[in-house]
Amino acid sequence: QDNRISLWSTGDLGNVGLNGEYHGEPHLLCDIQHNGDVMDMQFLDQERIVVGSSTGTVTIFRHHQNNQTLSANHWWEKAHHHVDQDTSCGGAVCTGVVCNNPEIVTVGEDGRINLFRADQKDAVRTIDNADSSTLHAVTFLRTTEILTVNSIGQLKIWDLRQQRNEPSQIFSLAGDRVPLHCVDRHPNQQHIVATGGQDGMLSIWDIRQGTMPVSLLNAHEAEMWEVHFHPSNPDHLFTCSEDGSLWHWDASTNVSEKPSFLHQGGRSTTYFSHSTINQSVVSAWLSNDPTKDRMEITNLIPNQTLSVNSLDVLGPCLVYGTDAEAIYVNRQLFA
Amino acid sequence: PPQVVPGADPSARQLCFAWGPAEVLVCETRFGRAGRAGAGARVLTGSVADSAGEAPGSSRVFVVRRDQDIYIQTLRKLFNESHGIFMGLQRSEEELAGKSRKAQLVQVSKNYRSVIRACMEDMHQAAVSTRDPALQGQYSTQVSILSAMELIWNLCEILFVEAAAAGPLLLRLLDWVRLHVCDVDSMVREVLSSENPSKHKLFWNVVDVFVLQGRMDEARHLLSKEATANPTSMNMYKILDDLMKKMPMPSLGNTQTLTELELKWQHWHEECQRFLQDGTFASNPHMESICKILLGDEDAILEKKELMTTWYHFLVTRLLYSNPTVKPMELRFYAQSSMDLFLGGESSPEPLDMILMAAFEFEMHQVIKECSIVLSNWWFVAHLTDLLDHCKLLQSHNLYFGSNMREFLLLEYASGLFSHHSLWQLGVDYFDHCPEYGRVYLELHIERIPLNTEQKALKVLRICEQRQMHEQVRSICKIMAMKALRNNRLGSALSWSIRAKDAAFATLISDRFLKDYCERGCFSDLDLIDNLGPSMLLSDRLTFLGKYREFHRLYGEKRFPEAARLLLTLMTAHIAPCSFWMTLLTDALPLLEQKEIIFSAEQTYELMRCLEDLTAGNVDKQKFQEDDETTKVEMLRLALARNLARVIVKEGTVEGS
């Protein structure tokens, strides 16, 4: 198998046409061989990328901008592993990686949570058997707290300051323990958390209260692989799924105030208005009143065939990758 | 074509082989050649080195893959993109009839071709940028194969998909030739970019090329340069230019009928004839030969063989200048004679030539058959046949084992994809669109995909669930659950059994938990057991596990009456397995010994009954039982009796006074 980490440039400003449309394709800057499947990756800083592999190894790659190359800077081999009955250490799949420079947290199919620091050779902390099932994803709640989701439908908060190997709080879904595959936290309001499940359901949680989700939204027809709040416009949420669709959830509150004939494709044109965000005391995500706030949901993929495995969003750009071995870049998300 | 397995030497060791779904295993046996027979007729299939040292070295196993092409990196784009086009075609509306449907199908064909061309580009880039000569050779070969594929496909599009009628047919063929005969491009560029084109030594060659390809405007443009440089031939030039300008060509629109065109053309042909016979061009051999070409003189055209490079170029030029209103069905006669004239007995036709000939003869099946033989991969024939089938051009040609040709080719192609660790996902969709055998093939193949990550297993499961392939779902979930169990990931194992609704496995996992508890005296993975939720009901044993843990929790919270009630229910409702009753009764002991009375009289009677039920079965075994057992039973009996006594008194006492 030939798996590679590749760095692409989606073009220079010179390629912008009359309408500000982007012409030209993303082009490959550099790439490097990777051992095992790339399960998750995240930028640690401007130059370094942390990658979790299906072999259980966690690697930091450095991008050298002067000569456009990638090199493996540092790695923790068998960061995730199973202990076989004949005590041979088999690697276990690392399923999730999250960074908060210089700290890196990884989780895997072995139910282990690792805390690394970018400059240190060994793990700072390892919680063995943190979970009896597979941990599918991890994200930072606060600088010292992380959120994990597992395959028996539980959302757990871990306080890394404490030495005990127990989660400080456990949340779970009400009915069937459907595995949760992804988790993301609201950028500004840290008590709002979104998770996606194996049945394609999007759950919004308020971790200040209760142990069950605030709202359950029937979304995709198959596993939801990733969920992301837009980092600067958190009234927008993006989810992608095995069913081949990528949904844009628009919960900007002034959607309902406009008369419907002014909607242009259901997209709000004043999402930039900061005053709106500050005014909403209760975020649109937590509001339970369906008559008051309408959410616009758009499928961004016209001809869906194979699964959309991963997405990321920053500013006006959206990038996503599919099982048809294609990467799509949308640079005008809110146009 | 026969394949040589590198390293497998039948003269050194006797080889055996076994067929797999997509591969062949070839193994070296213990038996060498030249009379070295081992004891018995046993054959070692690919195992370790022989310890007795009989055979030199270890045996090797060779995995011979059928389909090499799927591993070529640059072809992956071809497979992925064409999959998208294929799916689009299958889903497109069949209700559109006539012209719009045809236009739709032509567009699909064009899409396929542009994918082939894009792949060719990538492959060319790879060939140029690599430093390894072997790789470069491989890439270059691939480029020429792809180029040939596009050539054939393009012709099939013109003749079969678009089914161009007389008139437009010639125009399409001209485009086709211009696009694919590019050996002369560099020469053309060189002459056009030189300072003084008319003085260039290849000038007339380029003019000839333009004329042969029917590019009249470009030819006239070049000729005008010659005329300005050479005023003496101005007269000749003017006449030739005029002839070329007036040449009647078929048009794509409906501006003229075929009869009109034929009349005009006949007129023009005669005019050219007159000028030639008058000796107008006698002083300039170049112009004279051009005039002869315009008249469709075969010998004159054949003289320019090197400029045409292929017989099909010759064919199209011939048609242009002798029969521009040629009908599709007449092509075959011209094609055969063109090839004969062009090759002239010096060289024999290559496979590509035979395929194109079959196309000109409208023998679709022949085209597909020849392509299947020549190409190393089913991609081309599978997609082309599918497209032709959608054009309703293939008769339902039933092959002897039941499916038709389209399905056969798609099945072969998709099976090839399944041996790839990642492209198998494309194969699933192809199987979906094979009505006869697709499902069976899918069922067989899908269980053999290696599942090295849970995410991959989930994808496979989703595919199976969407197609109601329940057997496969159960089988895959069992495999994943067993793997998890072996790695001591009990929560994962449970999650897989819930997905498969596999009660038996859930029971297995619960037994494992209970065993752990009995050995260690405490529960592992409390986060799982405490949060089972409705999945607890999947199996009785699992329910028991959940409830038993609840009992411990209640006990820990000192909610004794509730704990007691739960404990009793576990036994009386037969939720607890009989093997566990002893443990449960032992758990009841501390409750019986408490200062306050927890069990009521009725509950105590129930407990005693349970105990009796338990010990009744053990009557036979007694003397060999450990003393612990009998001691326990005795202690229980004593405790129960004491509790009974106390509770009778308490219940009998009348409150107040």
Side-chain angles (χ1 to χ4, degrees):
Chain A
Q1 285 192 30
D2 183 30
N3 296 318
R4 311 188 76 84
I5 303 283
S6 316
L7 206 63
W8 301 75
S9 159
T10 59
D12 21 46
L13 300 168
N15 256 336
V16 175
L18 281 175
N19 304 332
E21 279 161 14
Y22 175 67
H23 300 297
E25 284 186 5
H27 69 274
L28 182 65
L29 289 177
C30 46
D31 65 1
I32 188 171
Q33 182 100 39
H34 180 259
N35 209 8
D37 295 344
V38 175
M39 300 304 294
D40 200 6
M41 61 182 179
Q42 196 170 50
F43 273 99
L44 179 62
D45 55 24
Q46 284 285 348
E47 292 181 340
R48 290 180 293 179
I49 306 160
V50 182
V51 178
S53 164
S54 62
T55 60
T57 304
V58 179
T59 318
I60 303 183
F61 289 95
R62 182 182 282 272
H63 174 220
H64 306 275
Q65 283 171 355
N66 47 353
N67 61 351
Q68 289 299 356
T69 53
L70 278 170
S71 63
N73 198 7
H74 189 83
W75 56 94
W76 294 280
E77 242 178 76
K78 296 263 174 22
H80 291 278
H81 55 274
H82 291 302
V83 185
D84 243 352
Q85 259 137 18
D86 17 305
T87 65
S88 61
C89 235
V93 176
C94 167
T95 50
V97 159
V98 71
C99 307
N100 189 5
N101 203 356
E103 291 185 329
I104 301 164
V105 179
T106 71
V107 292
E109 276 184 19
D110 54 354
R112 183 174 278 115
I113 301 178
N114 288 316
L115 173 62
F116 299 105
R117 281 184 78 92
D119 40 9
Q120 283 181 13
K121 188 166 152 270
D122 294 319
V124 169
R125 177 142 177 231
T126 302
I127 306 178
D128 285 328
N129 217 14
D131 202 305
S132 63
S133 65
T134 301
L135 288 165
H136 283 293
V138 62
T139 190
F140 273 99
L141 179 62
R142 284 174 249 279
T143 350
T144 52
E145 288 183 325
I146 55 171
L147 287 162
T148 62
V149 288
N150 66 12
S151 57
I152 42 177
Q154 293 173 325
L155 173 67
K156 296 183 181 174
I157 303 182
W158 302 80
D159 189 340
L160 297 172
R161 287 170 302 192
Q162 297 189 7
Q163 276 314 310
R164 61 182 196 138
N165 290 348
E166 298 284 328
S168 46
Q169 237 182 322
I170 302 181
F171 302 85
S172 52
L173 297 167
D176 282 327
R177 299 291 191 250
V178 176
L180 293 172
H181 284 288
C182 51
V183 62
D184 197 21
R185 189 209 75 201
H186 194 287
N188 307 328
Q189 299 172 297
Q190 292 177 344
H191 53 272
I192 301 178
V193 172
T195 62
Q198 201 171 84
D199 52 359
M201 186 105 75
L202 173 67
S203 315
I204 311 281
W205 311 69
D206 182 347
I207 56 175
R208 293 172 308 190
Q209 51 198 19
T211 54
M212 295 208 280
V214 165
S215 48
L216 295 167
L217 302 158
N218 231 332
H220 298 279
E221 290 161 7
E223 286 83 355
M224 187 190 297
W225 293 123
E226 290 202 13
V227 61
H228 287 270
F229 281 98
H230 192 288
S232 41
N233 300 307
D235 280 341
H236 298 261
L237 183 78
F238 297 87
T239 60
C240 67
S241 161
E242 177 71 21
D243 69 3
S245 60
L246 195 159
W247 289 18
H248 170 190
W249 306 68
D250 184 350
S252 1
T253 48
N254 49 10
V255 163
S256 56
E257 287 166 274
K258 273 204 178 120
S260 54
F261 64 80
L262 281 183
H263 284 173
Q264 291 174 8
R267 287 201 182 85
S268 155
T269 52
T270 56
Y271 70 96
F272 284 113
S273 145
H274 285 287
S275 54
T276 318
I277 295 173
N278 288 337
Q279 275 165 20
S280 59
V281 175
V282 176
S283 164
W285 296 111
L286 295 184
S287 137
N288 274 330
D289 189 348
T291 58
K292 221 179 105 195
D293 294 302
R294 254 176 27 222
M295 217 187 305
E296 289 288 337
I297 307 169
T298 337
N299 182 3
L300 296 179
I301 300 181
N303 311 316
Q304 57 194 62
T305 46
L306 294 180
S307 162
V308 180
N309 291 322
S310 179
L311 76 96
D312 205 357
V313 61
L314 185 68
C317 298
L318 169 74
V319 60
Y320 61 93
T322 68
D323 263 341
E325 305 188 3
I327 302 174
Y328 297 83
V329 179
N330 180 346
R331 299 189 97 208
Q332 312 222 290
L333 200 46
F334 297 110
Chain B
Q3 261 185 321
V4 175
V5 179
D9 185 9
S11 60
R13 294 275 278 267
Q14 200 172 46
L15 300 172
C16 71
F17 67 91
W19 287 102
E23 297 123 345
V24 176
L25 288 179
V26 176
C27 331
E28 292 175 341
T29 67
R30 214 190 211 176
F31 307 105
R33 284 293 179 188
R36 285 248 238 100
R42 265 185 327 124
V43 159
L44 279 174
T45 45
S47 47
V48 296
D50 184 59
S51 53
E54 237 182 287
S58 49
S59 292
R60 290 175 297 173
V61 179
F62 301 92
V63 180
V64 181
R65 283 208 182 93
R66 240 185 357 183
D67 197 339
Q68 282 245 355
D69 290 349
I70 51 176
Y71 288 93
I72 300 176
Q73 192 64 22
T74 28
L75 281 183
R76 278 172 88 145
K77 187 197 236 181
L78 183 71
F79 299 127
N80 277 291
E81 298 271 320
S82 60
H83 165 262
I85 300 172
F86 175 86
M87 289 305 287
L89 177 60
Q90 309 307 308
R91 288 182 193 157
S92 68
E93 290 149 30
E94 297 259 359
E95 298 101 50
L96 292 177
K99 278 212 183 118
S100 38
R101 177 70 176 157
K102 188 193 269 199
Q104 201 178 42
L105 292 168
V106 170
Q107 187 56 47
V108 169
S109 180
K110 287 192 157 74
N111 289 341
Y112 274 122
R113 282 197 297 125
S114 71
V115 169
I116 299 176
R117 266 206 294 276
C119 215
M120 231 158 70
E121 249 316 301
D122 288 345
M123 198 74 83
H124 182 74
Q125 288 292 46
V128 161
S129 57
T130 187
R131 278 180 240 139
D132 177 5
L135 262 185
Q136 193 174 52
Q138 195 184 58
Y139 288 143
S140 305
T141 322
Q142 276 298 331
V143 171
S144 47
I145 293 176
L146 285 169
S147 164
M149 290 206 301
E150 212 255 312
L151 177 75
I152 301 169
W153 193 301
N154 199 345
L155 184 62
C156 290
E157 181 184 305
I158 297 170
L159 297 175
F160 306 142
V161 183
E162 197 183 344
L169 176 60
L170 184 67
L171 292 176
R172 292 277 184 253
L173 286 174
L174 274 173
D175 284 335
W176 179 65
V177 163
R178 287 174 199 161
L179 192 56
H180 290 103
V181 179
C182 14
D183 293 359
V184 295
D185 284 355
S186 51
M187 175 176 72
V188 169
R189 263 197 303 272
E190 198 187 308
V191 170
L192 285 177
S193 54
S194 72
E195 263 187 32
N196 210 344
S198 52
K199 292 283 177 263
H200 199 289
K201 64 176 163 47
L202 294 174
F203 170 77
W204 283 108
N205 282 358
V206 176
V207 176
D208 287 336
V209 165
F210 288 150
V211 171
L212 289 167
Q213 291 187 3
R215 288 149 84 171
M216 291 310 178
D217 293 335
E218 290 168 78
R220 287 172 52 214
H221 181 76
L222 262 189
L223 275 178
S224 68
K225 291 204 201 300
E226 154 75 1
T228 46
N230 210 346
T232 48
S233 50
M234 183 60 75
N235 197 31
M236 265 195 295
Y237 158 74
K238 276 214 184 97
I239 296 174
L240 190 59
D241 183 75
D242 194 54
L243 282 178
M244 288 164 82
K245 191 164 75 175
K246 282 198 304 200
M247 173 173 160
M249 288 277 261
S251 66
L252 282 174
N254 284 332
T255 48
Q256 59 181 355
T257 64
L258 273 182
T259 352
E260 277 175 27
L261 175 64
E262 269 169 31
L263 272 175
K264 276 197 216 163
W265 191 82
Q266 202 54 42
H267 222 84
W268 172 84
H269 190 94
E270 281 162 11
E271 201 181 329
C272 293
Q273 190 78 27
R274 256 181 291 127
F275 277 116
L276 184 68
Q277 280 167 355
D278 285 349
T280 328
F281 303 107
S283 56
N284 189 328
H286 292 291
M287 288 207 197
E288 190 176 49
S289 101
I290 289 177
C291 188
K292 283 196 186 151
I293 292 173
L294 289 181
L295 283 169
D297 183 329
E298 277 170 18
D299 297 320
I301 302 175
L302 266 178
E303 258 173 56
K304 312 288 176 184
K305 230 171 148 172
E306 298 91 52
L307 294 178
M308 289 189 293
T309 67
T310 60
W311 63 270
Y312 35 95
H313 187 331
F314 174 57
L315 163 67
V316 175
T317 309
R318 247 179 104 196
L319 288 172
L320 174 63
Y321 293 115
S322 60
N323 189 358
T325 55
V326 62
K327 298 190 193 25
M329 286 306 150
E330 292 169 354
L331 279 176
R332 64 184 63 214
F333 309 116
Y334 286 97
Q336 189 60 57
S337 56
S338 301
M339 183 157 85
D340 293 337
L341 283 170
F342 193 89
L343 295 177
E346 296 165 358
S347 41
S348 53
E350 311 222 312
L352 176 62
D353 298 325
M354 298 315 295
I355 295 170
L356 292 172
M357 180 63 70
F360 283 119
E361 290 173 355
F362 281 77
E363 296 282 340
M364 262 174 268
H365 291 278
Q366 189 69 17
V367 172
I368 295 168
K369 179 172 151 196
E370 299 271 343
C371 288
S372 310
I373 296 171
V374 166
L375 294 169
S376 57
N377 178 282
W378 296 102
W379 179 87
F380 181 79
V381 286
H383 288 88
L384 181 63
T385 312
D386 175 65
L387 179 61
L388 293 177
D389 189 70
H390 273 90
C391 299
K392 306 254 190 296
L393 289 171
L394 295 175
Q395 313 137 319
S396 53
H397 196 150
N398 275 340
L399 301 170
Y400 68 91
F401 47 84
S403 65
N404 61 19
M405 178 151 65
R406 167 189 172 270
E407 178 155 325
F408 171 74
L409 293 171
L410 285 175
L411 288 171
E412 288 295 311
Y413 173 63
S415 302
L417 286 175
F418 260 90
S419 56
H420 193 274
H421 58 87
S422 170
L423 290 173
W424 60 268
Q425 280 180 298
L426 306 177
V428 173
D429 285 322
Y430 286 101
F431 280 142
D432 279 345
H433 288 100
C434 293
E436 286 269 344
Y437 291 110
R439 192 185 162 91
V440 178
Y441 269 70
L442 183 60
E443 282 175 6
L444 289 173
H445 273 109
I446 205 136
E447 278 189 309
R448 285 165 177 78
I449 298 169
L451 304 171
N452 51 335
T453 66
E454 281 196 1
Q455 196 176 14
K456 201 163 174 188
L458 287 171
K459 284 181 187 277
V460 173
L461 270 180
R462 183 61 63 181
I463 290 169
C464 294
E465 277 172 2
Q466 279 170 348
R467 290 154 182 79
Q468 274 99 46
M469 291 160 73
H470 303 298
E471 273 305 312
Q472 283 69 25
V473 170
R474 262 196 296 271
S475 150
I476 292 168
C477 283
K478 258 211 183 63
I479 294 171
M480 296 306 292
M482 270 318 288
K483 262 200 232 170
L485 210 55
R486 230 179 284 134
N487 287 323
N488 226 16
R489 311 258 83 241
L490 293 175
S492 295
L494 186 63
S495 152
W496 289 110
S497 9
I498 292 174
R499 176 92 183 243
K501 301 200 192 6
D502 190 345
F505 213 90
T507 307
L508 193 84
I509 299 170
S510 322
D511 278 336
R512 181 73 175 258
F513 270 115
L514 292 169
K515 193 171 96 156
D516 278 350
Y517 168 76
C518 288
E519 283 170 12
R520 277 192 263 149
C522 64
F523 285 107
S524 62
D525 306 314
L526 280 177
D527 62 332
L528 170 64
I529 309 175
D530 279 342
N531 292 293
L532 283 173
S535 58
M536 210 195 296
L537 302 171
L538 183 60
S539 109
D540 284 343
R541 195 59 51 81
L542 196 56
T543 319
F544 167 65
L545 180 64
K547 292 286 174 201
Y548 188 49
R549 164 69 195 150
E550 203 181 314
F551 162 73
H552 278 270
R553 248 212 334 268
L554 289 171
Y555 190 94
E557 289 168 13
K558 300 218 189 321
R559 288 151 69 180
F560 296 128
E562 289 171 62
R565 232 173 296 136
L566 180 56
L567 188 63
L568 203 49
T569 326
L570 286 178
M571 283 190 283
T572 52
H574 293 285
I575 303 175
C578 291
S579 50
F580 229 76
W581 279 23
M582 202 58 218
T583 320
L584 291 177
L585 288 167
T586 321
D587 285 333
L589 259 178
L591 289 174
L592 291 165
E593 303 288 332
Q594 292 274 346
K595 263 205 250 160
E596 16 160 339
I597 301 169
I598 299 165
F599 289 101
S600 71
E602 231 181 274
Q603 286 175 328
T604 319
Y605 281 127
E606 286 288 336
L607 278 173
M608 290 166 94
R609 194 175 60 75
C610 291
L611 183 59
E612 290 318 307
D613 283 342
L614 194 58
T615 49
N618 291 344
V619 164
D620 313 312
K621 307 190 217 161
Q622 50 261 29
K623 295 306 167 204
F624 305 102
Q625 284 287 39
E626 301 135 36
D627 288 321
D628 296 349
E629 282 290 316
T630 34
T631 324
K632 260 198 241 170
V633 171
E634 295 203 357
M635 276 175 66
L636 270 169
R637 289 219 175 95
L638 186 59
L640 283 168
R642 280 215 288 256
N643 191 58
L644 190 58
R646 284 158 63 195
V647 86
I648 289 176
V649 169
K650 176 184 171 204
E651 286 178 2
T653 311
V654 174
E655 286 296 309
S657 86

